[in-house]
């Protein structure tokens, strides 16, 4: 139940050349330690997740290695896209369980993610954003996957619901590897988790989340944290580089 990335690089051809989407990424996610990935827009977080789940564009060129021991459950960025709007949640979860041959039924899945059983009789639009996100997580674990990957699962949620979603994903890591790309840095404070920071396609810092957020060792991580509202909204001193044709020796501030 381990997720291992070794020197993973992803290059995507475009009209102007080649996007350096991920460069030589090393990462380990194991049961008991959820692994979160943060970084600015265009840093490579979503592409990293797509490489793990096999959802890269067909034209992408991948080198390095992704090792996954078992099936993968995917939590989408928009929970609403997870469900058909004209069918009740219970029927959709039951169908997912049947196709994935899961051992837990819809009611048990909802219990695992903290949703009341009456949600099974509702249509997706009748659920709040936070409830829908929990339902999407329930669908992702319907087949009891060894690995769960979530790409920006809190993007449409307010602060309180975002914290709840992060807490739930961390709880799921007790018996499976969990990888979460998120923009919500504040929700990670105090989390018993590992954290990787991405900039310009590279992982620039990795460590226990509490340590990285309290005493970042990389200059980009320090500047990223300084840009948070609670730290004064200091603008990043260096612009985000164009990833098309990015030099292999590019580093933050160069």
């Amino acid at each position: 139940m381990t997720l291992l990335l070794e020197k993973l690089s992803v290059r995507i051809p475009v009209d102007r050349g080649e996007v350096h989407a991920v460069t030589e990424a090393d990462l380990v996610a194991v049961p008991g330690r959820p692994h979160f990935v943060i970084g600015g827009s265009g840093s490579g977080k979503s592409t990293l997740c797509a490489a793990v789940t096999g959802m890269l564009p067909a034209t992408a060129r991948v080198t390095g290695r992704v090792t996954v021991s078992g099936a993968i459950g995917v939590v989408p960025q928009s929970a609403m896209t997870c469900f058909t709007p004209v069918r009740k949640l219970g029927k959709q979860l039951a169908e997912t369980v049947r196709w994935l041959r899961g051992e837990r039924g819809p009611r048990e899945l909802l219990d695992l993610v903290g949703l009341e059983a009456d949600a099974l009789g509702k249509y997706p639009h009748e659920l709040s954003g936070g409830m829908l996100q929990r339902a999407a997580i329930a669908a992702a674990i319907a087949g009891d996957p060894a690995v769960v990957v979530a790409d920006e699962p809190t993007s449409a949620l307010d602060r309180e619901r975002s914290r709840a979603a992060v807490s739930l994903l961390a709880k799921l890591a007790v018996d499976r590897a969990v990888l979460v790309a998120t923009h919500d840095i504040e929700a990670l404070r105090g989390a018993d988790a590992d954290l990787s920071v991405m900039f310009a396609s590279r992982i620039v810092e990795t460590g226990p989340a509490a340590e990285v957020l309290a005493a970042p060792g990389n200059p980009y991580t320090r500047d990223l944290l300084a840009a948070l509202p609670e730290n004064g909204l200091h603008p990043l001193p260096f612009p985000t580089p164009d990833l098309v044709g990015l030099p292999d020796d590019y580093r933050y501030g160069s």
Side-chain angles (χ1 to χ4, degrees), residues 83-84 86-96 106 110 115-124 126-127 131-132 134-136 138-139:
F83 302 104
T84 301
V86 295
R87 298 180 65 204
K88 292 182 179 180
L89 177 63
K91 290 186 177 181
Q92 297 190 61
L93 281 180
E95 184 176 41
T96 303
L110 289 197
L115 274 180
E116 297 294 332
D118 62 1
L120 294 173
K122 295 182 178 180
Y123 292 97
E126 295 179 303
L127 303 176
M131 293 171 69
L132 202 57
R134 287 175 177 269

Side-chain angles (χ1 to χ4, degrees), residues 47-184:
T47 304
L48 187 81
C49 290
V52 173
T53 58
M55 299 174 72
L56 288 169
T59 56
R61 181 170 60 88
V62 181
T63 58
R65 181 178 296 178
V66 177
T67 303
V68 179
S69 55
I72 301 175
V74 180
V75 181
Q77 188 171 123
S78 172
M80 184 60 77
T81 64
C82 204
F83 302 104
T84 301
V86 295
R87 298 180 65 204
K88 292 182 179 180
L89 177 63
K91 290 186 177 181
Q92 297 190 61
L93 281 180
E95 184 176 41
T96 303
V97 170
R98 187 166 61 253
W99 275 99
L100 297 177
R101 299 179 181 178
E103 296 182 357
R104 298 184 178 95
R107 188 181 294 266
E108 189 177 356
L109 288 171
L110 289 197
D111 186 57
L112 283 174
V113 300
L115 274 180
E116 297 294 332
D118 62 1
L120 294 173
K122 295 182 178 180
Y123 292 97
H125 72 270
E126 295 179 303
L127 303 176
S128 69
M131 293 171 69
L132 202 57
Q133 187 61 69
R134 287 175 177 269
I137 294 171
I141 62 173
D144 196 23
V147 176
V148 170
V149 178
D151 178 21
E152 298 281 13
T154 65
S155 60
L157 303 180
D158 60 27
R159 177 60 59 84
E160 183 179 349
R161 291 183 174 87
S162 178
R163 285 182 180 275
V166 166
S167 176
L168 173 58
L169 287 164
K171 221 193 304 189
L172 292 177
V174 170
D175 55 2
R176 58 176 57 83
V178 172
L179 177 68
V180 184
T182 182
H183 67 285
D184 196 341

